[in-house]
Amino acid sequence: MTTLDASDDVVRARGVTKRFGDFDAVRGIDFTIRRGESFGFLGPNGAGKTSTMRMVSAVSTPTSGSLDIFGLDPASRGSEIRGRLGVVPQEDTFDLDLSLRLNLEMFGRYFDLPRRVIKERTGELLEFAHLSDRAEDKVDNLSGGMKRRLTIARALMNRPELLILDEPTTGLDPQARHLLWERLYRLKREGVTLIITTHYMDEAEQLCDRLVVMDHGRIVAEGAPADLITTHASREVLELRLGAEDHAALAPRLADLAERIEVLADRVLLYVDSADDTLASVHRAGWRPERALQRRSSLEDVFLRLTGRTLDE
Amino acid sequence: MSEVTSLGWSRWRRAWWFQAVYYAQTWRGSVVSSVLLPLGYLGALGVGVGHLVSHHSGLIDGQTYLHFIAPSLLATTAFQLGEGESLWPVLASFKWTRSFHAAVTTPLTPRDVLVGKLAWVATRAFAIGVLYALIIAGVGAAHSWWALTLPLLSVVICLAFAAPLAAYAAKVDTDISFPLIYRFGFVPMFLFSATFYPVSAYPGWLRPLVQLVPLYHGVALVRAACFGGAAPAVLAHLIVLLVLIVVGVLWGDVTFRRRLID
Amino acid sequence: MGRVLPVLGSRRALHVVERNAMFYRNQWLMFASGFVEPLFYLLSIGIGLNHLVGTLDVGGRPVTYATFVAPGMLATSAMNGAIIDSVFNPFFRLKISHAYDSMLTTPLDVGDIALGEALWALARTGLYAVSFVGCMFALGDASSPLALLEIPGALATSFAFASLGLAACTYLRSWQDFDLITLFSLPLFLFSATFFPLSLYPRLLATLVWFSPLYQSATLLRGLNVGHLDPWMIPRLAYLCALGIIGLAIAARRFRRLLSP
């Protein structure tokens, strides 16, 4: 019996783990993704994002815990679930023997779509990906950004209710990234639920209504990007480069000037309410930093706070 | 000495090494195709079918069947080496791995790349020739001192195919024609070069056609080196193969340069 | 169908067959040219070796050498075709292009992919066998109507090797490892009594040859070719089918482990 409430939840995970041999990739995570929202998984490489994505894509089964997608159990009804999903894997994987058009058409066949519908959608999707003029080319000849757009177009062939994107813009130049983001907004407006993993802060802030931060196979925080920043970081950040001297040794002497400080290899971060005021105090205290940068707190700072590491570590 | 170097010896040596280093990582497959396969044929055909043949027809052109086909296998192996190294591997070096393009960013010229490639294939053909000469002598099929030239003949046969095919592979954009060349060129060539039975077995009208098959001349040449043969015929076989090499190298010089520079 | 073969795949496996057919649609010339190849082999042997070897005994009848060898070559080509379709192409999609990973984001299941590739190998062998047997009739190397049964015989052969090949391709690490496949198929080809009767082998080797699926296939087809039925054909056929089922089960398990851990 499906309740109204349950039909609003697209994915529900309770205590989900995934173990490969001796390695615990995912160590018991809970999350719920609601229809129409765009939900992010943020974390460095090896945090367990991709393993989680593969389970949510109904390609790999959890070692323990309960997971349901569209209210169905992926272990027994994977095929049915995948029929309603679109997946953009981290690596672009095409059928290199076939042209762009045939790649899309064949993909439609895997979903058992009628040929007439496939023909129609293939044209639309090539248009969507800005690749209509390359339709008869082999996929091998495409640039990285084109391949990524084609992967996304391909994932839309079955008009999915839920689109899962694993690191959608890794390796793309800024222009290609913005084009992709624009495409994703369009889908979101059309009511598609999005799941996005990324290790780019700006991407998470731009695209996600809600996100979880993952580290070492666990979820360490959950919320809307702005809320996470308010909860886990100060309003502003002052970044100081203090020259050749050892940052770690100097740091304690700066501690009084900020709510909290973080010492990185090449700089010190001061979490404060007003970076301007703090910089003045720093100067008054007799410091002459080589370089000082004032900025608003970001998800990067949230992540640093929660895990003690930067995202690209 | 520096005059000689500028002629290309040193660069050719480097281009040769380039191939050799690559081969050092992939040699296992060639042991199968160049050593085990022909040896298997020799066992299965020479001994097995040979038994049937000697039972029924006795000697073939004065030889046992084993002795008759042992030279053929040297010729067909040299042919397969030349053909196998020159279509896909050459196209791959231009198109997929682009290692030839990498080579010409060094002081190597397109001609050096071609020479290095062919020199390396020739080196392998020579090694196979030595091995087969020993096997042929071992089974007692070397009746003439000319058998000492077998390694060189192996090189000639191999290059007669490698040079023109490498030139062709440098010209094409895709490998779409290769399977067809294989199927309509190499397979019939392998089967209709008087390889497994004497040319007298062919019907009269087919015999002149067999003369047009390059591999036939290779097989005949090797057989003559093992058992002796008439000088004019031997010379004719040799000339056919040498012409193929010269044409192939000249053509390759053009196609390699076009592909790598223009 | 989904319920009959829950482990091995479902009706969706046919989409994998369709995919392969789509690829060859653009390469029909190459595909079609495969059908003339047996003609070359049979002609060459008929011209030269029939005369040199004389007649051989199959099921108590004297036959020409080409008639003796042709079924063995059909068996060999069923084996080689199955290996190309089940080892080389799937390896590429499994480990190089990762095309299977993208297929698994659709309703297709791992078992569908394994079964589909095996079915494709069968379909291609079937077409090839039809043309091969046609060539045999045309050249007089087959005369009995029972020779038509060589076509299903070739399918069983292809099924055995395609399934084993599919299982094997999951263990390969790089293109270099294909030498191992050749090391396996080559001795089978040369020493499965394809070129001469088992009675010529030394006794010990003959016992080994007996286990070769290619020998069993060649012998089965040879009997059918001259229209000589014997009860031994049943265990030979069963042996080939059993290898096929075992191979496919292993392949499906290995595919699952690699693609959907």
Side-chain angles (χ1 to χ4, degrees):
Chain A
M1 185 66 200
T2 333
T3 63
L4 253 183
D5 172 55
S7 75
D8 260 0
D9 291 342
V10 177
V11 183
R12 209 168 353 170
R14 296 292 175 265
V16 168
T17 69
K18 183 69 192 182
R19 166 181 274 269
F20 298 104
D22 292 340
F23 173 66
D24 288 302
V26 177
R27 306 164 181 238
I29 56 175
D30 301 273
F31 59 87
T32 304
I33 300 169
R34 292 188 284 269
R35 186 168 299 278
E37 78 176 331
S38 83
F39 191 89
F41 285 83
L42 187 66
N45 292 328
K49 289 174 297 171
T50 294
S51 300
T52 307
M53 286 311 102
R54 285 173 61 84
M55 289 190 280
V56 175
S57 314
V59 176
S60 122
T61 41
T63 309
S64 68
S66 90
L67 173 69
D68 53 63
I69 303 159
F70 306 122
L72 305 171
D73 175 9
S76 58
R77 303 178 67 180
S79 204
E80 195 180 334
I81 293 170
R82 290 195 298 275
R84 297 164 66 183
L85 290 180
V87 178
V88 177
Q90 197 166 348
E91 306 284 335
D92 292 311
T93 51
F94 293 103
D95 201 324
L96 298 179
D97 297 325
L98 304 180
S99 66
L100 268 67
R101 183 187 299 285
L102 288 182
N103 258 282
L104 292 178
E105 287 186 2
M106 203 53 236
F107 211 69
R109 293 294 298 150
Y110 296 148
F111 284 96
D112 270 325
L113 299 175
R115 285 170 210 282
R116 185 185 44 79
V117 174
I118 292 174
K119 281 258 177 307
E120 204 177 284
R121 287 192 194 169
T122 299
E124 286 168 23
L125 290 172
L126 284 168
E127 197 65 39
F128 173 87
H130 266 293
L131 288 169
S132 300
D133 51 333
R134 307 291 297 265
E136 311 309 328
D137 261 18
K138 283 276 167 68
V139 177
D140 244 0
N141 303 334
L142 299 183
S143 73
M146 291 173 172
K147 280 187 185 164
R148 215 59 194 137
R149 291 199 314 261
L150 185 64
T151 301
I152 293 178
R154 188 184 65 183
L156 299 174
M157 177 52 90
N158 58 327
R159 299 261 161 93
E161 297 162 50
L162 169 62
L163 183 62
I164 298 171
L165 303 115
D166 195 357
E167 302 279 356
T169 64
T170 298
L172 296 190
D173 61 58
Q175 201 190 352
R177 288 181 78 198
H178 284 279
L179 186 63
L180 262 185
W181 286 356
E182 189 269 321
R183 293 285 183 270
L184 294 178
Y185 287 133
R186 239 165 78 184
L187 291 169
K188 189 166 150 38
R189 274 203 304 276
E190 288 162 16
V192 178
T193 310
L194 301 176
I195 301 182
I196 299 159
T197 79
T198 181
H199 64 273
Y200 295 123
M201 295 302 129
D202 51 345
E203 186 159 283
E205 289 185 35
Q206 287 272 344
L207 293 177
C208 301
D209 301 326
R210 237 159 30 96
L211 56 85
V212 293
V213 179
M214 281 190 82
D215 190 36
H216 293 302
R218 292 205 171 79
I219 290 177
V220 293
E222 178 177 350
D227 296 344
L228 283 171
I229 294 169
T230 328
T231 317
H232 298 283
S234 58
R235 210 169 69 86
E236 292 192 344
V237 183
L238 178 64
E239 292 195 9
L240 297 178
R241 264 173 225 276
L242 295 170
E245 290 156 276
D246 182 9
H247 282 99
L250 296 171
R253 293 156 55 191
L254 284 165
D256 296 347
L257 300 175
E259 293 169 26
R260 195 167 63 80
I261 68 167
E262 288 282 353
V263 184
L264 305 181
D266 57 341
R267 64 213 142 111
V268 181
L269 309 186
L270 286 76
Y271 290 93
V272 296
D273 218 30
S274 156
D276 240 359
D277 296 351
T278 311
L279 184 57
S281 320
V282 166
H283 283 149
R284 270 201 302 281
W287 296 94
R288 291 290 171 269
E290 226 171 51
R291 199 166 149 254
L293 174 76
Q294 309 172 35
R295 61 172 175 84
R296 298 184 71 82
S297 287
S298 71
L299 284 172
E300 178 92 43
D301 302 298
V302 173
F303 190 79
L304 190 60
R305 173 74 189 272
L306 292 170
T307 67
R309 293 184 294 144
T310 52
L311 265 165
D312 42 19
E313 257 173 49
Chain B
M1 189 64 205
S2 65
E3 290 297 300
V4 179
T5 307
S6 69
L7 277 176
W9 281 114
S10 139
R11 296 198 310 272
W12 292 351
R13 209 177 59 223
R14 268 177 282 156
W16 181 90
W17 262 110
F18 172 81
Q19 295 285 336
V21 166
Y22 176 75
Y23 179 70
Q25 295 161 12
T26 57
W27 60 273
R28 279 191 314 173
S30 66
V31 171
V32 173
S33 61
S34 301
V35 181
L36 296 181
L37 182 64
L39 277 181
Y41 267 112
L42 198 63
L45 295 180
V47 180
V49 178
H51 183 86
L52 297 173
V53 171
S54 61
H55 205 70
H56 181 75
S57 343
L59 299 180
I60 311 299
D61 287 356
Q63 309 296 334
T64 64
Y65 191 64
L66 174 66
H67 288 183
F68 178 80
I69 66 159
S72 307
L73 290 170
L74 168 60
T76 54
T77 307
F79 150 67
Q80 273 162 350
L81 176 69
E83 153 262 299
E85 280 299 306
S86 313
L87 286 179
W88 275 283
V90 167
L91 182 62
S93 304
F94 281 116
K95 191 178 155 124
W96 294 301
T97 69
R98 297 183 70 82
S99 59
F100 285 168
H101 292 272
V104 290
T105 62
T106 72
L108 297 183
T109 65
R111 181 176 296 165
D112 300 332
V113 172
L114 173 66
V115 171
K117 173 80 198 175
L118 293 179
W120 172 247
V121 176
T123 310
R124 286 179 57 192
F126 189 84
I128 284 171
V130 170
L131 179 72
Y132 274 78
L134 292 174
I135 293 169
I136 286 170
V139 299
H143 298 180
S144 152
W145 283 105
W146 284 103
L148 288 172
T149 64
L150 285 179
L152 290 177
L153 295 183
S154 172
V155 172
V156 170
I157 295 168
C158 175
L159 288 181
F161 294 98
L165 291 170
Y168 172 72
K171 203 172 88 71
V172 297
D173 274 330
T174 72
D175 60 345
I176 198 142
S177 61
F178 294 177
L180 293 174
I181 293 178
Y182 196 87
R183 201 157 263 161
F184 292 106
F186 300 158
V187 168
M189 181 129 62
F190 178 70
L191 292 168
F192 294 96
S193 291
T195 333
F196 300 110
Y197 40 82
V199 74
S200 60
Y202 294 112
W205 59 270
L206 195 58
R207 280 178 221 171
L209 288 179
V210 172
Q211 306 272 342
L212 295 177
V213 178
L215 180 58
Y216 163 72
H217 298 282
V219 171
L221 204 53
V222 176
R223 202 163 277 149
C226 291
F227 308 131
V234 169
L235 207 59
H237 296 316
L238 195 59
I239 286 170
V240 169
L241 298 176
L242 291 176
V243 166
L244 278 172
I245 297 177
V246 171
V247 169
V249 170
L250 293 177
W251 187 28
D253 196 34
V254 177
T255 58
F256 270 58
R257 194 176 59 237
R258 283 211 188 120
R259 184 85 176 228
L260 289 171
I261 292 188
D262 300 344
Chain C
M1 180 98 174
R3 281 175 197 284
V4 185
L5 290 168
V7 196
L8 298 180
S10 69
R11 179 189 57 80
R12 293 195 193 88
L14 292 178
H15 289 318
V16 180
V17 177
E18 196 183 329
R19 179 261 164 224
N20 289 334
M22 196 181 250
F23 170 61
Y24 277 105
R25 201 173 61 183
N26 297 328
Q27 313 220 352
W28 62 269
L29 188 59
M30 189 177 111
F31 192 77
S33 69
F35 299 128
V36 269
E37 210 173 278
L39 204 61
F40 290 137
Y41 279 95
L42 294 176
L43 258 179
S44 172
I45 290 171
I47 287 175
L49 288 172
N50 272 358
H51 165 70
L52 289 181
V53 175
T55 58
L56 290 163
D57 176 276
V58 175
R61 283 156 237 219
V63 300
T64 66
Y65 187 62
T67 308
F68 176 85
V69 167
M73 288 177 40
L74 172 56
T76 307
S77 79
M79 171 180 86
N80 287 335
I83 287 178
I84 288 173
D85 279 332
S86 71
V87 180
F88 291 73
N89 297 336
F91 174 80
F92 182 70
R93 286 169 226 154
L94 189 64
K95 307 229 166 137
I96 310 287
S97 76
H98 294 284
Y100 288 151
D101 284 302
S102 63
M103 287 157 80
L104 282 180
T105 66
T106 73
L108 290 183
D109 224 326
V110 177
D112 298 333
I113 293 178
L115 182 65
E117 293 290 3
L119 284 177
W120 166 253
L122 281 186
R124 216 158 84 119
T125 309
L127 283 173
Y128 197 76
V130 169
S131 82
F132 202 115
V133 173
C135 290
M136 281 160 68
F137 273 107
L139 295 174
D141 294 326
S143 47
S144 161
L146 282 175
L148 290 174
L149 289 178
E150 287 180 81
I151 295 164
L155 285 177
T157 312
S158 164
F159 176 55
F161 284 104
S163 305
L164 292 173
L166 214 48
C169 92
T170 64
Y171 291 96
L172 302 180
R173 292 153 301 178
S174 70
W175 293 113
Q176 307 280 311
D177 284 347
F178 283 107
D179 308 339
L180 301 174
I181 302 285
T182 321
L183 273 180
F184 166 82
S185 67
L186 197 60
L188 277 188
F189 165 54
L190 291 168
F191 298 100
S192 287
T194 28
F195 291 118
F196 48 91
L198 189 63
S199 57
L200 290 186
Y201 287 82
R203 185 176 296 267
L204 184 69
L205 191 59
T207 318
L208 276 178
V209 167
W210 202 87
F211 287 98
S212 153
L214 188 61
Y215 164 71
Q216 296 299 348
S217 162
T219 312
L220 174 71
L221 299 187
R222 198 168 283 143
L224 292 170
N225 192 41
V226 297
H228 173 81
L229 294 174
D230 77 274
W232 273 102
M233 286 178 167
I234 294 162
R236 293 190 212 284
L237 191 64
Y239 181 55
L240 294 173
C241 293
L243 285 178
I245 290 169
I246 294 170
L248 197 54
I250 297 175
R253 246 201 27 217
R254 285 283 305 167
F255 267 62
R256 196 168 302 283
R257 204 152 133 201
L258 290 177
L259 291 169
S260 176

